[in-house]
Amino acid sequence: MADTARDPPPQHTDFHELEDGEDLFPEPTATLESEPASLPAEDISTNSNGPKQDSLFDDDPEDLFAEATEEVSLDSPERDVLLSDGPSPAITPITPPTSVLTPRIGLHDDMFTHSSFDEIEEEEGGDSFDIHISVSDPEKVGDGMNAYMAYKVTTKTSISLFKSHEFSVKRRFSDFLGLHSKLASKYLHIGYIVPPAPEKSIVGMTKVKVGKEDQSSNEFVEKRRSALERYLMRTVKLPVLLKDPDVLQFLESSELPRAVSTQALSSAGLLRMVNKAAEAVNKMTIKMNESDAWFEEKQQHFENLDVQLRKLHASMESLVLHRKELSVNTAQFAKSAAMLGNSEDHTALSRALSQLAEVEEKIDQLHQDQANADFYLFSELLGDYVRLITAVKGVFDHRMKTWQKWQDTQMLLQKKREAEAKLQFNNKPDKLQQAKDEIKELEGKVEQGEREFEQISKTIRKEVSRFEKERVKDFKTIIIKYLESLVQTQQQLIKYWDAFLPEAKAIS
Amino acid sequence: LSTPQKHQRGNTMRSVSVDLNHDASLLIDIPDALCERDKVKFTVHTKTTLSSFQKPDFSVPRQHEDFIWLHDTLVETEDYAGLIIPPAPPKPDFESPREKMHKLGEGEATMTKEEYTKMKQELEAEYLAVFKKTVQVHEVFLQRLSSHPNLSKDRNFQIFLEYDQDLTVRRKNAKEMFGGFFKNMVKSADEVLISGIKEVDDFFEQEKTFLLDYYSKIKDSTAKAEKMTRSHKNIADDYIHISATLNSLSADDTTILFVSVQKVEGRVASDQELKLTELLRYYMRDIQAAKDLLYRRARALVDYENSNKALDKARLKSKDIPQAEEHQQQCLQKFDKLSESGKKELTSFKGRRVVAFRKNLIEMAELEIKHAKVSSTIQLTHFYTNEKWTL
C-alpha cells in the first residue's frame, strides 16, 4: 500500500488511556460543549424547561457569546446574507452577537443605504398578510395512464378581493403548471420574481398512476402536496400576483379550463428557456454600462448564493439519506439484539439485552422522524430556493434584454437621423417626410424603451428587497423549527436511555 | 497530532474485560506505541515481583506478529488444551481511515479550505481511534494471560515479555515446528464435530448448545452494530459539510450550532463503537475461543472412544493388549483432565462475560444520556438566543 503522496499517519503517539466517558477528542480551548458538561448533570434532568433554563443561561451566557464572538470574528464573509435582515437603522441591535458582527465597509454600506431606502418605499405587502392556502386530500381520479391526482386547494382569507372568507376547489398538477406559465409570461419579463412551480416527475407519477400503493409513491404524493402548498403561498405573497385575475380564478372558480401544452410550458421548461436566453445574452457580450453598482453587486451576490445553496442542498440530501440508513441499521440491530437476548442464558443479562433491543427500536423511530424533519423542513426548502434563485437570475437577464432593446432602438434612431440628414442634403422632400415620420415614431420608441428599462430596474429593486426579506424570514423560521425537532429528538433519547439504565444496572 | 500524553496507570478499567491487571506480582501494560505506515510497534511494559523474571521493571518492543506467535504457541501446547486461550488480537487495520483520507485528498478541490481542514481533523481523529483500539486490544490479550493462574507461568509468555531481542527468528522456528496444523484443524471441522458427539455430561451438553447458538447471534449483532456506527459517522461528516457551507454564507450562531451537532454525532458514533461494537466484537472472539476448548475436548473424547475400540480389537486378536490398555488410560486421563479444567474455565468465562456486558451497557447508556443532554442544551441555548433576536 504505497500512498506516499498522503500525509503520513501519526508518527509517534504516546498512548493515553482514557477514563470511560472522557473526551475522546480534546479541544485545545474552552468550548461550547465543555461549559454545559461542567454543569452537574442533575440540573438538566427531566424537569420542565422553564426555571432550570434560566439558571443555566444566567450562569453562562457570556461564555457562550464569547465563544460566538471568537468564532465569528475569525472570518469575514457576508455576515447577514442568510439570516439577518439587511440591517437598517430601523432594526435596533439588541443582543451581543449582532453588535459584534462587524459589517463590511464599502459595498456593504451601499447595501445598507439601499435597503433602508427600499424599506421606506415598501408599503404594499406588509407583514400582516391575511391569507392562508392549504393543499390537502390528494385523491386519485381515474385509472391507468390517464389517471391523475386531484388536490383540494383551500383558501382562508379576510382580503376583500375574494368573494368569500373560506373556500375550496379541486385542482390537478397540470392546473398549477398552467397557472405558473400564465404568470411567468405576464410578469417575468417586467422584473417580477415569479415563483417556479414544482418539478414534473415522470417516474413518480407513473408509479402513482399504475396504482402502486407503497411507501415510495405515498412519499412522492406527500412531497408533491407539500411543494404545491409552498408554491401557492409564495405566489400570493407577491402583491401583484395576488391581484392577478388568473390567480383569483385558480383559487376560486370551481371549473378551470384544462391547461394545454403544459409540456412546453412547465416551469422547468420555462426556466430552461430563461437559462438559454441568459446564455445567449452573455454570448452577445452585452457590454452593458452598468451605471448602477447595486445591480452588479446583486448579481454577484445571487451567483454566490446559487453556488452555496446548491452545495447546501446536496449536503442536506446526503444527510437525509444517511439518516434513513441509520434508521434501517438501528432497526436491524434491534432485531439482532433481541435474538441475542433470547439466546443469552444469564437471566438478568438476557432481560437487559431484550430491553436494549426495545430501546433501539424506539430510537429507530426517532431517526425516521428526524429524517423527515431534515427533509421536509430543510432539504425541500433549499430545493425551492435553488429554483427561486434561477428565477431571480432570469429577471436580471430580462433587464439586460430590455436595456439591449432600448439601445438597439436608440442606434436605429441614430441611423435614421443620419439618413434624414443625408436626405435633407440631397433634397428629396417626399422621402424626407417619411424619414421624419419614422424618426418621430422611433423617438417615441426610444422613450418607451428607456421607460421600460427604468421600470424594470425599479421593479427589480423592490422585488429583490422583498425576496431577500422573505428568504431571511423563511430560513429563520425553518432553522428554528429544525432546532425544535433536534431538541425533541435529544430529549426523547434522554428518556429512553434513562429508562434503560436501571435495567443495565440490574444485571448481577 | 496532539502532544504526547502521559499514560495513566493504576485504574486500568479495560473496556471489554474486567478484573485484569490487579495482581501486583505481574503487571503488564502498553504505555505507548509507534505507528509507521502499516506497522505498529508496541512497547510492552512489565512490572513484576516474581523471581522468575530477571528484572523487576522492564520494557520491550513488540510487533503484532509477535502477539500472534505467542497466541498460536499457547493454542498448540497440549497442557493448555483444557483452557480457554484468550483470543488473538486482530491485525491493526487502518484501511478505512486511509481510504477516506485518500478520497478526501481527491475531493479537496471541491470543498472550502475550512471544510477540508475539518474533514481532515475528523479523519485524523478516526485514525487515532483505530490506533487506540488496537493498542487496547493487544494490551487486554496480555493482561488476560497475566491474570490466568496457569497461562501466566508459561515459558513462552515470559520470553515474549522479557526477551530483549527481535522475536522474528523464534517466530520462524515455531512455524516450522508446528506448521499451524492444529489451528487449521480447529478452523475447519469444529462445528460438526462438537455437535456430533454424544454428550454424557449435562453441563457440557448445555454449554455446547448455548455456545453454538450464541456465537452465531453475537456475530450477527456485531455486524449490525458496526453498520449503525458507520451511519452515525456518515451523519457527522454530513454536518461538517453543512456547517462549512452555512459558514461561508453567514458566520453566526447557526454555524456554531451545526458544528456542535456534528461534534455530538461524532462522539455518539465513537462511544457507541467503543462500548457496544467493540464489546460484541471481543466477546464474539472469546466465544470462539470457548468453542475451541469444546472442540479440543470433543476430539479427546473421540480419541478415547477410538482407543476403546482399539482395545476391544486388541482383546479380540489377543495382540498388543497392554499397549492398547495404556493408550486407553492415557486417553481417558486426558479427557477427564480436559473436562475438569474446561468446566472451571467455562464457568468463570460466563461470569466474566456478564460483568463486562453490565459495565459496558451501563457506560453506554450514561454516555448517550450525557451527549443528548449536552446537545439539547446547546440547541436550547441557540433557540433562546434566536428568540431574543426576533424581539
Side-chain angles (χ1 to χ4, degrees), chain A residues 3 7 322 344-345 507, chain B residues 120 214 238 350 353 358:
Chain A
D3 43 4
D7 280 339
H322 286 141
E344 175 63 61
D345 62 354
I507 305 169
Chain B
K120 190 144 170 271
Y214 201 75
D238 285 329
K350 186 186 304 289
R353 188 181 84 245
R358 178 179 189 276

Side-chain angles (χ1 to χ4, degrees), chain A residues 30 199 283 293 295 323 363 367 377 408 411 429 436 457:
Chain A
E199 302 261 310
K283 280 194 186 113
F295 279 92
R323 208 173 310 261
I363 290 178
H367 288 316
L377 285 183
D408 289 346
M411 291 227 284
K436 282 209 199 293
S457 300

Side-chain angles (χ1 to χ4, degrees), chain A residues 112-149:
Chain A
F112 289 168
T113 49
H114 278 292
S115 48
S116 57
F117 172 65
D118 288 347
E119 269 207 286
I120 293 164
E121 258 211 329
E122 220 174 81
E123 344 94 341
E124 31 184 25
D127 278 50
S128 53
F129 219 48
D130 193 9
I131 175 166
H132 186 79
I133 305 178
S134 63
V135 174
S136 61
D137 304 317
E139 215 181 4
K140 187 165 163 207
V141 176
D143 265 314
M145 288 314 285
N146 287 328
Y148 63 90
M149 272 300 189

Side-chain angles (χ1 to χ4, degrees), chain B residues 134-245:
Chain B
T134 192
V135 172
Q136 200 178 70
V137 83
H138 283 76
E139 196 181 65
V140 166
F141 171 70
L142 295 178
Q143 289 173 345
R144 284 274 302 268
L145 293 177
S146 66
S147 4
H148 195 283
N150 304 67
L151 295 171
S152 59
K153 300 192 180 75
D154 182 78
R155 176 88 189 104
N156 285 312
F157 184 42
Q158 187 172 347
I159 292 171
F160 178 91
L161 292 174
E162 217 177 20
Y163 188 64
D164 58 3
Q165 304 290 318
D166 198 342
L167 282 177
T168 323
V169 177
R170 266 183 186 265
R171 281 196 270 127
K172 284 218 191 86
N173 292 341
K175 241 203 178 116
E176 276 152 25
M177 268 180 69
F178 296 120
F181 168 74
F182 202 54
K183 223 168 71 158
N184 288 336
M185 288 243 38
V186 169
K187 287 292 185 281
S188 49
D190 59 355
E191 302 260 328
V192 177
L193 197 61
I194 296 174
S195 33
I197 60 167
K198 219 163 69 152
E199 192 51 75
V200 288
D201 190 332
D202 262 349
F203 174 81
F204 281 101
E205 181 63 34
Q206 271 181 343
E207 281 299 304
K208 180 180 78 183
T209 316
F210 168 69
L211 284 176
L212 286 180
D213 181 44
Y214 201 75
Y215 180 73
S216 68
K217 300 280 160 48
I218 200 172
K219 192 164 170 208
D220 185 60
S221 295
T222 307
K224 301 278 158 63
E226 279 170 355
K227 276 169 105 176
M228 246 194 341
T229 308
R230 247 203 310 277
S231 287
H232 273 296
K233 283 212 182 98
N234 285 338
I235 290 178
D237 285 346
D238 285 329
Y239 275 121
I240 291 180
H241 293 300
I242 290 172
S243 56
T245 315

